[in-house]
Amino acid sequence: MTDDDAVPGLPDAVPGPSDAVPGPSDLRASDADRERVSEVLRDALAEGRLDMVEFEERLDQTYKARTYGELAPITRDLPVAGVVPPPVVSLSKEPSEEGSWTGRIVGGEGTSSWAVAVMSGFQRKGRWTVPRRFTCVAFWGGGEIDLREADFAAGEVEINCVAIMGGVQITVPPGVEVVVRGIGVMGGFDQGDTGVRGDPGAPRVVVTGFAFWGGVGVERKKTRAARRQEKLDRKAEMREARSNFRDEIHGAHQRMLDSHKDLLRGIGHGPQGERQERRERRYEE
């Protein structure tokens, strides 16, 4: 058959079994991969992107999927946190960016430079830019300042708190260095996180101010996404531990059977075994 006789639309040569190399979509998916896809589906249900019927159908497809190629289309039309659509949910475990501060020190003036709560409350949380100096007052009220998802105008920012018969709670992510320099009169500033070294490149938060019959608290807490990932990792570790335990039990059982077979073979070479062999030879003759 010449080149002119080749059938249009078909390759010139078909690779043999030894030449076949599986692509990424042909690789087998793990339980952790299916769990990551199901987490995206749950978020989509909570946000109203999927109704209950669609959610149940896709969740059933997820747990029946055996390869990456079967998993990928399930979330193709759903946004993934931190990824611009249309990419699908990642099926490989990516390194955590919890300790990476590249891009979070953005400069500028900051989203908000002050807050006041008089017999009321205030919040600064989510995606916002912390200015070089932020001042807040809580009088018979309370305030919440959450820096876990915030950007920073500078490598060092100052949060000045005045709490009079009120309180301010400051939440920082792991890796941020905190220095507390506030003064308390019949009140206080939480010093528990002072002295903890920050990650390389992480911002430094200096807490100053005055508390009279009030208090300013500082706590470290991971983001919701980080806690969710830790939960998935723990589940994966538990599944792996159970699988290893089953393998060990199976191996021990197999070794016991092999030992029993060896014992029976050893008995077969004793006097009784020889008499049995002689009887079998006479019977054959």
PDB file of all heavy atoms in Angstrom, residues 36-60 74-75 77-80 224 228:
ATOM      1  N   ARG A  36     -11.802  16.075  46.488  1.00  0.00           N
ATOM      2  CA  ARG A  36     -11.613  17.472  46.100  1.00  0.00           C
ATOM      3  C   ARG A  36     -12.704  17.920  45.130  1.00  0.00           C
ATOM      4  O   ARG A  36     -13.216  19.043  45.218  1.00  0.00           O
ATOM      5  CB  ARG A  36     -10.223  17.656  45.474  1.00  0.00           C
ATOM      6  CG  ARG A  36      -9.108  17.820  46.499  1.00  0.00           C
ATOM      7  CD  ARG A  36      -7.839  18.305  45.829  1.00  0.00           C
ATOM      8  NE  ARG A  36      -7.177  17.220  45.107  1.00  0.00           N
ATOM      9  CZ  ARG A  36      -6.285  16.415  45.656  1.00  0.00           C
ATOM     10  NH1 ARG A  36      -5.981  16.542  46.918  1.00  0.00           N
ATOM     11  NH2 ARG A  36      -5.699  15.453  44.946  1.00  0.00           N
ATOM     12  N   VAL A  37     -13.089  17.055  44.203  1.00  0.00           N
ATOM     13  CA  VAL A  37     -14.157  17.402  43.261  1.00  0.00           C
ATOM     14  C   VAL A  37     -15.491  17.529  43.990  1.00  0.00           C
ATOM     15  O   VAL A  37     -16.270  18.453  43.742  1.00  0.00           O
ATOM     16  CB  VAL A  37     -14.241  16.346  42.149  1.00  0.00           C
ATOM     17  CG1 VAL A  37     -15.444  16.605  41.249  1.00  0.00           C
ATOM     18  CG2 VAL A  37     -12.969  16.354  41.305  1.00  0.00           C
ATOM     19  N   SER A  38     -15.764  16.616  44.932  1.00  0.00           N
ATOM     20  CA  SER A  38     -17.032  16.687  45.672  1.00  0.00           C
ATOM     21  C   SER A  38     -17.103  17.952  46.518  1.00  0.00           C
ATOM     22  O   SER A  38     -18.186  18.518  46.719  1.00  0.00           O
ATOM     23  CB  SER A  38     -17.193  15.453  46.555  1.00  0.00           C
ATOM     24  OG  SER A  38     -16.198  15.403  47.560  1.00  0.00           O
ATOM     25  N   GLU A  39     -15.951  18.441  47.004  1.00  0.00           N
ATOM     26  CA  GLU A  39     -15.943  19.680  47.784  1.00  0.00           C
ATOM     27  C   GLU A  39     -16.337  20.867  46.910  1.00  0.00           C
ATOM     28  O   GLU A  39     -17.066  21.764  47.342  1.00  0.00           O
ATOM     29  CB  GLU A  39     -14.546  19.899  48.380  1.00  0.00           C
ATOM     30  CG  GLU A  39     -14.488  20.977  49.447  1.00  0.00           C
ATOM     31  CD  GLU A  39     -15.199  20.570  50.718  1.00  0.00           C
ATOM     32  OE1 GLU A  39     -15.353  19.366  50.966  1.00  0.00           O
ATOM     33  OE2 GLU A  39     -15.620  21.477  51.459  1.00  0.00           O
ATOM     34  N   VAL A  40     -15.863  20.887  45.672  1.00  0.00           N
ATOM     35  CA  VAL A  40     -16.250  21.946  44.738  1.00  0.00           C
ATOM     36  C   VAL A  40     -17.755  21.887  44.455  1.00  0.00           C
ATOM     37  O   VAL A  40     -18.438  22.919  44.381  1.00  0.00           O
ATOM     38  CB  VAL A  40     -15.440  21.826  43.429  1.00  0.00           C
ATOM     39  CG1 VAL A  40     -15.946  22.819  42.393  1.00  0.00           C
ATOM     40  CG2 VAL A  40     -13.968  22.056  43.695  1.00  0.00           C
ATOM     41  N   LEU A  41     -18.298  20.678  44.327  1.00  0.00           N
ATOM     42  CA  LEU A  41     -19.735  20.542  44.083  1.00  0.00           C
ATOM     43  C   LEU A  41     -20.543  21.040  45.281  1.00  0.00           C
ATOM     44  O   LEU A  41     -21.590  21.680  45.107  1.00  0.00           O
ATOM     45  CB  LEU A  41     -20.074  19.072  43.793  1.00  0.00           C
ATOM     46  CG  LEU A  41     -19.465  18.471  42.519  1.00  0.00           C
ATOM     47  CD1 LEU A  41     -19.846  17.006  42.389  1.00  0.00           C
ATOM     48  CD2 LEU A  41     -19.907  19.246  41.285  1.00  0.00           C
ATOM     49  N   ARG A  42     -20.077  20.767  46.495  1.00  0.00           N
ATOM     50  CA  ARG A  42     -20.808  21.239  47.683  1.00  0.00           C
ATOM     51  C   ARG A  42     -20.810  22.764  47.739  1.00  0.00           C
ATOM     52  O   ARG A  42     -21.824  23.375  48.097  1.00  0.00           O
ATOM     53  CB  ARG A  42     -20.177  20.647  48.942  1.00  0.00           C
ATOM     54  CG  ARG A  42     -20.331  19.130  49.059  1.00  0.00           C
ATOM     55  CD  ARG A  42     -19.863  18.617  50.404  1.00  0.00           C
ATOM     56  NE  ARG A  42     -19.779  17.167  50.409  1.00  0.00           N
ATOM     57  CZ  ARG A  42     -18.671  16.470  50.244  1.00  0.00           C
ATOM     58  NH1 ARG A  42     -17.523  17.107  50.071  1.00  0.00           N
ATOM     59  NH2 ARG A  42     -18.685  15.152  50.265  1.00  0.00           N
ATOM     60  N   ASP A  43     -19.669  23.370  47.417  1.00  0.00           N
ATOM     61  CA  ASP A  43     -19.614  24.834  47.400  1.00  0.00           C
ATOM     62  C   ASP A  43     -20.565  25.397  46.347  1.00  0.00           C
ATOM     63  O   ASP A  43     -21.235  26.414  46.580  1.00  0.00           O
ATOM     64  CB  ASP A  43     -18.180  25.306  47.123  1.00  0.00           C
ATOM     65  CG  ASP A  43     -17.246  25.030  48.285  1.00  0.00           C
ATOM     66  OD1 ASP A  43     -17.747  24.795  49.404  1.00  0.00           O
ATOM     67  OD2 ASP A  43     -16.019  25.033  48.078  1.00  0.00           O
ATOM     68  N   ALA A  44     -20.610  24.759  45.185  1.00  0.00           N
ATOM     69  CA  ALA A  44     -21.505  25.230  44.119  1.00  0.00           C
ATOM     70  C   ALA A  44     -22.964  25.101  44.527  1.00  0.00           C
ATOM     71  O   ALA A  44     -23.796  25.957  44.201  1.00  0.00           O
ATOM     72  CB  ALA A  44     -21.247  24.435  42.829  1.00  0.00           C
ATOM     73  N   LEU A  45     -23.304  24.037  45.266  1.00  0.00           N
ATOM     74  CA  LEU A  45     -24.680  23.883  45.756  1.00  0.00           C
ATOM     75  C   LEU A  45     -25.020  24.983  46.756  1.00  0.00           C
ATOM     76  O   LEU A  45     -26.103  25.582  46.699  1.00  0.00           O
ATOM     77  CB  LEU A  45     -24.840  22.505  46.403  1.00  0.00           C
ATOM     78  CG  LEU A  45     -26.198  22.223  47.058  1.00  0.00           C
ATOM     79  CD1 LEU A  45     -27.302  22.198  46.011  1.00  0.00           C
ATOM     80  CD2 LEU A  45     -26.151  20.898  47.831  1.00  0.00           C
ATOM     81  N   ALA A  46     -24.077  25.283  47.669  1.00  0.00           N
ATOM     82  CA  ALA A  46     -24.319  26.312  48.670  1.00  0.00           C
ATOM     83  C   ALA A  46     -24.456  27.696  48.038  1.00  0.00           C
ATOM     84  O   ALA A  46     -25.194  28.550  48.543  1.00  0.00           O
ATOM     85  CB  ALA A  46     -23.188  26.311  49.694  1.00  0.00           C
ATOM     86  N   GLU A  47     -23.760  27.937  46.910  1.00  0.00           N
ATOM     87  CA  GLU A  47     -23.811  29.245  46.248  1.00  0.00           C
ATOM     88  C   GLU A  47     -24.966  29.353  45.256  1.00  0.00           C
ATOM     89  O   GLU A  47     -25.143  30.405  44.633  1.00  0.00           O
ATOM     90  CB  GLU A  47     -22.485  29.493  45.516  1.00  0.00           C
ATOM     91  CG  GLU A  47     -21.293  29.612  46.460  1.00  0.00           C
ATOM     92  CD  GLU A  47     -19.964  29.575  45.720  1.00  0.00           C
ATOM     93  OE1 GLU A  47     -19.982  29.409  44.477  1.00  0.00           O
ATOM     94  OE2 GLU A  47     -18.918  29.710  46.374  1.00  0.00           O
ATOM     95  N   GLY A  48     -25.732  28.280  45.075  1.00  0.00           N
ATOM     96  CA  GLY A  48     -26.864  28.311  44.153  1.00  0.00           C
ATOM     97  C   GLY A  48     -26.488  28.064  42.708  1.00  0.00           C
ATOM     98  O   GLY A  48     -27.319  28.266  41.818  1.00  0.00           O
ATOM     99  N   ARG A  49     -25.274  27.633  42.425  1.00  0.00           N
ATOM    100  CA  ARG A  49     -24.874  27.352  41.043  1.00  0.00           C
ATOM    101  C   ARG A  49     -25.451  26.019  40.557  1.00  0.00           C
ATOM    102  O   ARG A  49     -25.596  25.813  39.347  1.00  0.00           O
ATOM    103  CB  ARG A  49     -23.350  27.337  40.927  1.00  0.00           C
ATOM    104  CG  ARG A  49     -22.692  28.633  41.365  1.00  0.00           C
ATOM    105  CD  ARG A  49     -21.171  28.558  41.221  1.00  0.00           C
ATOM    106  NE  ARG A  49     -20.519  29.689  41.835  1.00  0.00           N
ATOM    107  CZ  ARG A  49     -20.341  30.868  41.256  1.00  0.00           C
ATOM    108  NH1 ARG A  49     -20.779  31.049  40.015  1.00  0.00           N
ATOM    109  NH2 ARG A  49     -19.745  31.856  41.897  1.00  0.00           N
ATOM    110  N   LEU A  50     -25.716  25.114  41.490  1.00  0.00           N
ATOM    111  CA  LEU A  50     -26.322  23.831  41.160  1.00  0.00           C
ATOM    112  C   LEU A  50     -27.569  23.653  42.016  1.00  0.00           C
ATOM    113  O   LEU A  50     -27.589  24.068  43.184  1.00  0.00           O
ATOM    114  CB  LEU A  50     -25.350  22.680  41.450  1.00  0.00           C
ATOM    115  CG  LEU A  50     -24.045  22.598  40.649  1.00  0.00           C
ATOM    116  CD1 LEU A  50     -23.202  21.435  41.158  1.00  0.00           C
ATOM    117  CD2 LEU A  50     -24.322  22.434  39.163  1.00  0.00           C
ATOM    118  N   ASP A  51     -28.603  23.031  41.437  1.00  0.00           N
ATOM    119  CA  ASP A  51     -29.742  22.655  42.265  1.00  0.00           C
ATOM    120  C   ASP A  51     -29.489  21.263  42.823  1.00  0.00           C
ATOM    121  O   ASP A  51     -28.494  20.608  42.495  1.00  0.00           O
ATOM    122  CB  ASP A  51     -31.052  22.715  41.471  1.00  0.00           C
ATOM    123  CG  ASP A  51     -31.042  21.820  40.235  1.00  0.00           C
ATOM    124  OD1 ASP A  51     -30.368  20.770  40.260  1.00  0.00           O
ATOM    125  OD2 ASP A  51     -31.699  22.164  39.241  1.00  0.00           O
ATOM    126  N   MET A  52     -30.390  20.795  43.687  1.00  0.00           N
ATOM    127  CA  MET A  52     -30.150  19.533  44.374  1.00  0.00           C
ATOM    128  C   MET A  52     -30.084  18.359  43.416  1.00  0.00           C
ATOM    129  O   MET A  52     -29.267  17.439  43.590  1.00  0.00           O
ATOM    130  CB  MET A  52     -31.253  19.302  45.420  1.00  0.00           C
ATOM    131  CG  MET A  52     -31.058  18.049  46.260  1.00  0.00           C
ATOM    132  SD  MET A  52     -29.454  18.015  47.120  1.00  0.00           S
ATOM    133  CE  MET A  52     -29.732  19.334  48.311  1.00  0.00           C
ATOM    134  N   VAL A  53     -30.902  18.360  42.367  1.00  0.00           N
ATOM    135  CA  VAL A  53     -30.894  17.256  41.408  1.00  0.00           C
ATOM    136  C   VAL A  53     -29.559  17.195  40.676  1.00  0.00           C
ATOM    137  O   VAL A  53     -28.943  16.127  40.542  1.00  0.00           O
ATOM    138  CB  VAL A  53     -32.057  17.400  40.401  1.00  0.00           C
ATOM    139  CG1 VAL A  53     -31.970  16.314  39.327  1.00  0.00           C
ATOM    140  CG2 VAL A  53     -33.391  17.317  41.133  1.00  0.00           C
ATOM    141  N   GLU A  54     -29.084  18.362  40.193  1.00  0.00           N
ATOM    142  CA  GLU A  54     -27.789  18.398  39.503  1.00  0.00           C
ATOM    143  C   GLU A  54     -26.658  17.996  40.443  1.00  0.00           C
ATOM    144  O   GLU A  54     -25.727  17.275  40.049  1.00  0.00           O
ATOM    145  CB  GLU A  54     -27.531  19.804  38.956  1.00  0.00           C
ATOM    146  CG  GLU A  54     -28.473  20.216  37.837  1.00  0.00           C
ATOM    147  CD  GLU A  54     -28.293  21.679  37.445  1.00  0.00           C
ATOM    148  OE1 GLU A  54     -28.098  22.518  38.353  1.00  0.00           O
ATOM    149  OE2 GLU A  54     -28.345  21.967  36.242  1.00  0.00           O
ATOM    150  N   PHE A  55     -26.731  18.474  41.680  1.00  0.00           N
ATOM    151  CA  PHE A  55     -25.688  18.137  42.659  1.00  0.00           C
ATOM    152  C   PHE A  55     -25.617  16.629  42.877  1.00  0.00           C
ATOM    153  O   PHE A  55     -24.525  16.038  42.868  1.00  0.00           O
ATOM    154  CB  PHE A  55     -25.975  18.854  43.976  1.00  0.00           C
ATOM    155  CG  PHE A  55     -25.108  18.400  45.116  1.00  0.00           C
ATOM    156  CD1 PHE A  55     -23.775  18.783  45.185  1.00  0.00           C
ATOM    157  CD2 PHE A  55     -25.622  17.587  46.108  1.00  0.00           C
ATOM    158  CE1 PHE A  55     -22.969  18.352  46.233  1.00  0.00           C
ATOM    159  CE2 PHE A  55     -24.829  17.156  47.160  1.00  0.00           C
ATOM    160  CZ  PHE A  55     -23.492  17.547  47.222  1.00  0.00           C
ATOM    161  N   GLU A  56     -26.776  15.981  43.068  1.00  0.00           N
ATOM    162  CA  GLU A  56     -26.781  14.540  43.324  1.00  0.00           C
ATOM    163  C   GLU A  56     -26.283  13.767  42.111  1.00  0.00           C
ATOM    164  O   GLU A  56     -25.556  12.776  42.250  1.00  0.00           O
ATOM    165  CB  GLU A  56     -28.195  14.095  43.701  1.00  0.00           C
ATOM    166  CG  GLU A  56     -28.650  14.629  45.071  1.00  0.00           C
ATOM    167  CD  GLU A  56     -30.074  14.224  45.392  1.00  0.00           C
ATOM    168  OE1 GLU A  56     -30.758  13.685  44.489  1.00  0.00           O
ATOM    169  OE2 GLU A  56     -30.498  14.432  46.553  1.00  0.00           O
ATOM    170  N   GLU A  57     -26.670  14.221  40.904  1.00  0.00           N
ATOM    171  CA  GLU A  57     -26.209  13.531  39.696  1.00  0.00           C
ATOM    172  C   GLU A  57     -24.690  13.623  39.557  1.00  0.00           C
ATOM    173  O   GLU A  57     -24.006  12.622  39.291  1.00  0.00           O
ATOM    174  CB  GLU A  57     -26.879  14.135  38.462  1.00  0.00           C
ATOM    175  CG  GLU A  57     -28.367  13.835  38.357  1.00  0.00           C
ATOM    176  CD  GLU A  57     -29.002  14.522  37.162  1.00  0.00           C
ATOM    177  OE1 GLU A  57     -28.307  15.352  36.510  1.00  0.00           O
ATOM    178  OE2 GLU A  57     -30.186  14.243  36.868  1.00  0.00           O
ATOM    179  N   ARG A  58     -24.157  14.833  39.757  1.00  0.00           N
ATOM    180  CA  ARG A  58     -22.703  15.006  39.597  1.00  0.00           C
ATOM    181  C   ARG A  58     -21.933  14.311  40.719  1.00  0.00           C
ATOM    182  O   ARG A  58     -20.831  13.790  40.491  1.00  0.00           O
ATOM    183  CB  ARG A  58     -22.355  16.492  39.566  1.00  0.00           C
ATOM    184  CG  ARG A  58     -22.954  17.224  38.376  1.00  0.00           C
ATOM    185  CD  ARG A  58     -22.321  18.569  38.167  1.00  0.00           C
ATOM    186  NE  ARG A  58     -22.989  19.344  37.142  1.00  0.00           N
ATOM    187  CZ  ARG A  58     -22.455  20.389  36.529  1.00  0.00           C
ATOM    188  NH1 ARG A  58     -21.236  20.792  36.855  1.00  0.00           N
ATOM    189  NH2 ARG A  58     -23.118  21.062  35.603  1.00  0.00           N
ATOM    190  N   LEU A  59     -22.489  14.329  41.925  1.00  0.00           N
ATOM    191  CA  LEU A  59     -21.808  13.646  43.033  1.00  0.00           C
ATOM    192  C   LEU A  59     -21.752  12.139  42.775  1.00  0.00           C
ATOM    193  O   LEU A  59     -20.730  11.485  43.052  1.00  0.00           O
ATOM    194  CB  LEU A  59     -22.537  13.937  44.341  1.00  0.00           C
ATOM    195  CG  LEU A  59     -21.800  13.521  45.621  1.00  0.00           C
ATOM    196  CD1 LEU A  59     -20.510  14.318  45.761  1.00  0.00           C
ATOM    197  CD2 LEU A  59     -22.688  13.738  46.834  1.00  0.00           C
ATOM    198  N   ASP A  60     -22.830  11.587  42.218  1.00  0.00           N
ATOM    199  CA  ASP A  60     -22.837  10.165  41.871  1.00  0.00           C
ATOM    200  C   ASP A  60     -21.793   9.865  40.801  1.00  0.00           C
ATOM    201  O   ASP A  60     -21.070   8.863  40.875  1.00  0.00           O
ATOM    202  CB  ASP A  60     -24.234   9.761  41.385  1.00  0.00           C
ATOM    203  CG  ASP A  60     -24.344   8.273  41.129  1.00  0.00           C
ATOM    204  OD1 ASP A  60     -24.148   7.489  42.074  1.00  0.00           O
ATOM    205  OD2 ASP A  60     -24.618   7.884  39.974  1.00  0.00           O
ATOM    206  N   ILE A  74     -16.816  17.015  35.202  1.00  0.00           N
ATOM    207  CA  ILE A  74     -17.835  17.227  36.229  1.00  0.00           C
ATOM    208  C   ILE A  74     -17.833  18.661  36.731  1.00  0.00           C
ATOM    209  O   ILE A  74     -18.876  19.228  37.064  1.00  0.00           O
ATOM    210  CB  ILE A  74     -17.621  16.224  37.386  1.00  0.00           C
ATOM    211  CG1 ILE A  74     -17.789  14.786  36.872  1.00  0.00           C
ATOM    212  CG2 ILE A  74     -18.591  16.492  38.532  1.00  0.00           C
ATOM    213  CD1 ILE A  74     -17.488  13.722  37.895  1.00  0.00           C
ATOM    214  N   THR A  75     -16.659  19.291  36.803  1.00  0.00           N
ATOM    215  CA  THR A  75     -16.564  20.666  37.313  1.00  0.00           C
ATOM    216  C   THR A  75     -16.130  21.649  36.233  1.00  0.00           C
ATOM    217  O   THR A  75     -15.687  22.750  36.552  1.00  0.00           O
ATOM    218  CB  THR A  75     -15.556  20.725  38.478  1.00  0.00           C
ATOM    219  OG1 THR A  75     -14.284  20.229  38.035  1.00  0.00           O
ATOM    220  CG2 THR A  75     -16.028  19.895  39.650  1.00  0.00           C
ATOM    221  N   ASP A  77     -17.750  23.510  34.189  1.00  0.00           N
ATOM    222  CA  ASP A  77     -18.499  24.768  34.108  1.00  0.00           C
ATOM    223  C   ASP A  77     -18.653  25.448  35.465  1.00  0.00           C
ATOM    224  O   ASP A  77     -19.474  26.351  35.619  1.00  0.00           O
ATOM    225  CB  ASP A  77     -19.889  24.507  33.522  1.00  0.00           C
ATOM    226  CG  ASP A  77     -20.694  23.511  34.353  1.00  0.00           C
ATOM    227  OD1 ASP A  77     -20.079  22.811  35.187  1.00  0.00           O
ATOM    228  OD2 ASP A  77     -21.922  23.437  34.167  1.00  0.00           O
ATOM    229  N   LEU A  78     -17.838  25.033  36.466  1.00  0.00           N
ATOM    230  CA  LEU A  78     -17.924  25.629  37.798  1.00  0.00           C
ATOM    231  C   LEU A  78     -16.638  26.371  38.121  1.00  0.00           C
ATOM    232  O   LEU A  78     -15.542  25.876  37.820  1.00  0.00           O
ATOM    233  CB  LEU A  78     -18.155  24.541  38.858  1.00  0.00           C
ATOM    234  CG  LEU A  78     -19.454  23.740  38.736  1.00  0.00           C
ATOM    235  CD1 LEU A  78     -19.491  22.646  39.791  1.00  0.00           C
ATOM    236  CD2 LEU A  78     -20.665  24.657  38.866  1.00  0.00           C
ATOM    237  N   PRO A  79     -16.736  27.555  38.733  1.00  0.00           N
ATOM    238  CA  PRO A  79     -15.517  28.276  39.130  1.00  0.00           C
ATOM    239  C   PRO A  79     -14.851  27.590  40.299  1.00  0.00           C
ATOM    240  O   PRO A  79     -15.504  27.014  41.163  1.00  0.00           O
ATOM    241  CB  PRO A  79     -16.038  29.661  39.523  1.00  0.00           C
ATOM    242  CG  PRO A  79     -17.441  29.412  39.957  1.00  0.00           C
ATOM    243  CD  PRO A  79     -17.956  28.299  39.085  1.00  0.00           C
ATOM    244  N   VAL A  80     -13.502  27.640  40.312  1.00  0.00           N
ATOM    245  CA  VAL A  80     -12.722  27.058  41.389  1.00  0.00           C
ATOM    246  C   VAL A  80     -12.042  28.187  42.131  1.00  0.00           C
ATOM    247  O   VAL A  80     -11.508  29.110  41.523  1.00  0.00           O
ATOM    248  CB  VAL A  80     -11.669  26.071  40.832  1.00  0.00           C
ATOM    249  CG1 VAL A  80     -10.866  25.462  41.956  1.00  0.00           C
ATOM    250  CG2 VAL A  80     -12.359  24.984  40.029  1.00  0.00           C
ATOM    251  N   ARG A 224     -10.436  29.634  56.230  1.00  0.00           N
ATOM    252  CA  ARG A 224     -11.370  28.534  56.069  1.00  0.00           C
ATOM    253  C   ARG A 224     -10.876  27.540  55.010  1.00  0.00           C
ATOM    254  O   ARG A 224     -10.997  26.322  55.170  1.00  0.00           O
ATOM    255  CB  ARG A 224     -12.735  29.089  55.665  1.00  0.00           C
ATOM    256  CG  ARG A 224     -13.804  28.020  55.476  1.00  0.00           C
ATOM    257  CD  ARG A 224     -15.103  28.643  55.021  1.00  0.00           C
ATOM    258  NE  ARG A 224     -16.114  27.634  54.766  1.00  0.00           N
ATOM    259  CZ  ARG A 224     -17.312  27.883  54.256  1.00  0.00           C
ATOM    260  NH1 ARG A 224     -17.640  29.135  53.959  1.00  0.00           N
ATOM    261  NH2 ARG A 224     -18.177  26.922  54.046  1.00  0.00           N
ATOM    262  N   ARG A 228     -10.081  23.621  55.569  1.00  0.00           N
ATOM    263  CA  ARG A 228     -10.734  22.603  54.750  1.00  0.00           C
ATOM    264  C   ARG A 228      -9.704  21.671  54.120  1.00  0.00           C
ATOM    265  O   ARG A 228      -9.885  20.446  54.082  1.00  0.00           O
ATOM    266  CB  ARG A 228     -11.570  23.271  53.662  1.00  0.00           C
ATOM    267  CG  ARG A 228     -12.351  22.281  52.796  1.00  0.00           C
ATOM    268  CD  ARG A 228     -13.013  22.972  51.626  1.00  0.00           C
ATOM    269  NE  ARG A 228     -13.895  24.019  52.064  1.00  0.00           N
ATOM    270  CZ  ARG A 228     -13.899  25.243  51.571  1.00  0.00           C
ATOM    271  NH1 ARG A 228     -13.030  25.587  50.632  1.00  0.00           N
ATOM    272  NH2 ARG A 228     -14.763  26.146  52.006  1.00  0.00           N
TER     273      ARG A 228
END
